[in-house]
Amino acid sequence: MNWPKSVKVIDVTPRDGLQDATGELTSEQKIELCKDLYAAGVPSVEITAFVSPKWVPLMRDAETVANALRDQPDTIALVPNHKGFERALRTGVDAVTFVVSASPIHQRENLRMSLSDSFEQFRGIAQTHASSQIRLRGAISCAFGSPFSTESITPETVADIAREYVDSGAVELSLADTVGVGTPQAIYDTILLVKQRVGHDIPITLHLHDRYALGLGNIVAALAAGVTVFETALAGLGGCPFVPDAPGNLDTEQVVHWLHLMGIHTGIDEHALVHVRKRLLKDLDASMVKQGKLR
């Protein structure tokens, strides 16, 4: 196997890692967390999500966080709809990740609309802001399995959604194993079919959650299929609030360390990551104590 010389790691701790955390960081702590990640060499950070605070209250300070990070490189924010995009646009983020789900049930519970309605909003965003410098990333949740036993998700389903994203204006794709059930074979087959459907010029990111300790094996499969961008979170934090018993993300430190052992460059300082993680967990624990949930 000829491994790539370098891989890009996008840290999603400030968004996915914190959106359903048991502890809560202040806006100032979130901003410092993002700055610390950039200082450690992380090239891109998903800094927040512009979602309804009614559904995800821990992201209610999205504008505060994003506005404070305007001078940082490659800031990414998740948006679920046109309203979220307009909020993100005003803060000057570099990229938005618009999200839909390959699971019809998860799509309704997570986004409160059908897949066709989501794409109608995405097309409107792409057309209205075609001249904007903001990058439009299209994310597909539950790309390798549904949280619900009544649903079966195939690579063809994911490839069809990916094609619609690209036809509608997405310049990057992110495939998410939201449930953490993807296997190396499923990862490999799905990525190849998506590439066949959208072309090899569209960058694909893999966002893995790790239920069965297959995460690193899934990265190997993705590398073999030509993917060189991965989304991870410190300490394996995170999980979708709308997925029962949602598993955490792949651990940023673990992934970076493993890539370095394989001789693959990331540009990230492992020792700096250790300090960022320790500070993050200390702050989360302190918030739990303050709330009376830890003693």
Side-chain angles (χ1 to χ4, degrees):
M1 173 66 68
N2 292 320
W3 302 111
K5 293 182 179 180
S6 63
V7 156
K8 180 179 181 179
V9 175
I10 300 172
D11 190 278
V12 300
T13 308
R15 195 279 300 177
D16 195 350
L18 298 182
Q19 68 180 359
D20 66 341
T22 50
E24 181 175 1
L25 299 187
T26 65
S27 300
E28 291 74 18
Q29 288 172 325
K30 292 178 183 178
I31 292 163
E32 287 306 309
L33 169 62
C34 293
K35 289 181 177 180
D36 287 347
L37 286 167
Y38 285 118
V42 177
S44 302
V45 178
E46 191 176 54
I47 61 172
T48 192
F50 289 90
V51 294
S52 169
K54 175 182 177 181
W55 300 112
V56 189
L58 295 184
M59 293 290 111
R60 61 183 175 272
D61 56 357
E63 276 85 359
T64 300
V65 172
N67 280 320
L69 295 168
R70 283 175 177 264
D71 61 340
Q72 298 298 319
D74 205 30
T75 52
I76 302 172
L78 182 138
V79 301
N81 50 39
H82 197 281
K83 181 178 180 181
F85 175 81
E86 292 291 346
R87 291 172 60 197
L89 187 65
R90 289 192 290 270
T91 67
V93 295
D94 296 299
V96 293
T97 301
F98 190 93
V99 60
V100 302
S101 182
S103 157
I105 298 175
H106 182 252
Q107 169 76 25
R108 290 194 300 270
E109 294 193 358
N110 188 34
L111 297 161
R112 316 292 164 179
M113 68 182 84
S114 68
L115 182 62
S116 60
D117 287 342
S118 278
F119 269 116
E120 183 176 349
Q121 294 208 23
F122 183 74
R123 283 190 291 272
I125 289 169
Q127 291 167 7
T128 304
H129 300 280
S131 61
S132 171
Q133 295 299 308
I134 195 167
R135 297 196 325 276
L136 297 181
R137 308 174 75 239
I140 305 173
S141 297
C142 302
F144 305 99
S146 170
F148 309 101
S149 59
T150 55
E151 294 181 329
S152 177
I153 296 171
T154 66
E156 288 75 15
T157 299
V158 177
D160 287 344
I161 296 173
R163 180 72 255 177
E164 186 159 7
Y165 254 138
V166 173
D167 288 345
S168 300
V171 297
E172 299 176 20
L173 295 172
S174 177
L175 308 181
D177 186 15
T178 311
V179 193
V181 296
T183 63
Q185 191 65 58
I187 298 288
Y188 183 79
D189 291 345
T190 301
I191 291 171
L192 287 188
L193 187 59
V194 168
K195 283 178 169 284
Q196 178 183 330
R197 197 70 58 86
V198 305
H200 292 262
D201 294 333
I202 300 295
I204 294 176
T205 298
L206 193 61
H207 179 115
L208 294 171
H209 290 251
D210 202 7
R211 185 182 297 274
Y212 301 123
L214 288 172
L216 293 180
N218 287 339
I219 287 184
V220 172
L223 289 171
V227 169
T228 57
V229 186
F230 299 93
E231 294 181 343
T232 61
L234 289 171
L237 293 176
C240 178
F242 305 101
V243 170
D245 190 30
N249 287 276
L250 274 188
D251 187 306
T252 302
E253 283 180 79
Q254 182 185 49
V255 170
V256 169
H257 180 65
W258 182 83
L259 289 169
H260 290 175
L261 287 176
M262 300 297 292
I264 299 173
H265 178 73
T266 68
I268 298 173
D269 184 336
E270 293 183 55
H271 299 293
L273 279 184
V274 172
H275 295 293
V276 180
R277 184 251 304 160
K278 287 181 176 179
R279 178 177 176 179
L280 167 64
L281 295 182
K282 181 180 178 181
D283 288 342
L284 287 173
D285 284 347
S287 77
M288 294 287 285
V289 171
K290 187 175 181 180
Q291 297 171 42
K293 296 178 181 178
L294 282 180
R295 297 186 185 279

